[in-house]
Amino acid sequence: MDCVLRPVSHGWNCEAVLVYTIGLNGYIDRYDDYVRSQQEYAKRNGYAYLVVTEPSWKYGASEASWLKIAVMNDALADGYDRVAYIDCDAEVLPFAPPIDSVFGIDSRGDVFMARGHSGRFNAGVIFVRNSLLSRRFFEAIWNNIGTPLDPADDVGWGENGHVIQAARRMGCVTEMPSSWNNTAWPPSRSEFIRHHTGQLQNAEENQTAQAGTIVGPSVRSKPTADRLTTRPEDSALLIQRTHLLAAEYSPRVPIPQRR
């Protein structure tokens, strides 16, 4: 299988920690500044860092959004002690502390997410402690690709609704502060990750429109999502294409040798 990953930086840490993002369909170029901030954060803290960039433009946004779950399952199966997923359009600010500060919120917690503007968990930033429960959690989400969602959990497309549903049903997600996944406007001075989506993205785009100029990557429009309908044949197609994508990307990130 051809390697389809951008260069991976392996740090040295007392525990094996992986930070990763998905940069398919032009996202890696559109949000290169934010990806660089993630890479620098990983380097400062001695974490391995991974950006999945290929296959590019071959699969749609619906399948690409599910790839984060496939990579999470691979990383946990490979034995990483901690795994952090961060959306490509999320900027890690220079003063963000190590992710251990999040796991310290609940010593028994396994999956940590912040809530978005809807009050439901936002899967744009996910911190995970490797455990039997966390592995079962993400395996359950993966196995539910294409299945109907409860209306209260549905977000319209992608994997986030299934993450919300699994969190509600399995009860194994610990809420972390919004400072680790801030989507609100105006930005907070105490935030660690500024996620340029939702209210934050809309406000930035409005500011740019009023100024009549483009001032940075945070105000660039995202690639259009291909939102599959919920017809049975479309669900079957989503399942098929998502599994093909998961099989095509290079699925292993070697764990750095421990000291």
Side-chain angles (χ1 to χ4, degrees), residues 227-241:
R227 305 193 176 194
L228 295 177
T229 66
T230 56
R231 294 178 300 178
E233 59 269 28
D234 290 328
S235 295
L237 178 62
L238 174 61
I239 295 170
Q240 179 188 39
R241 287 176 59 82

Side-chain angles (χ1 to χ4, degrees), residues 189-209:
R189 292 184 178 180
S190 61
E191 66 193 353
F192 302 134
I193 296 180
R194 185 174 296 166
H195 191 176
H196 297 269
T197 189
Q199 296 176 354
L200 184 56
Q201 181 194 18
N202 292 338
E204 289 170 336
E205 288 179 347
N206 288 338
Q207 282 194 336
T208 299

Side-chain angles (χ1 to χ4, degrees), residues 72-73 75-77 79-82 108-111 128-141 143 170 172-173:
M72 179 67 73
N73 282 329
L76 295 175
Y80 276 92
D81 299 295
R82 307 282 187 270
R108 296 174 297 178
D110 295 292
V111 182
V128 181
R129 191 195 317 270
N130 197 339
S131 70
L132 178 61
L133 186 58
S134 63
R135 293 192 296 273
R136 285 178 174 173
F137 178 74
F138 288 101
E139 287 169 1
I141 294 170
N143 290 334
M170 299 179 68
C172 62
V173 176

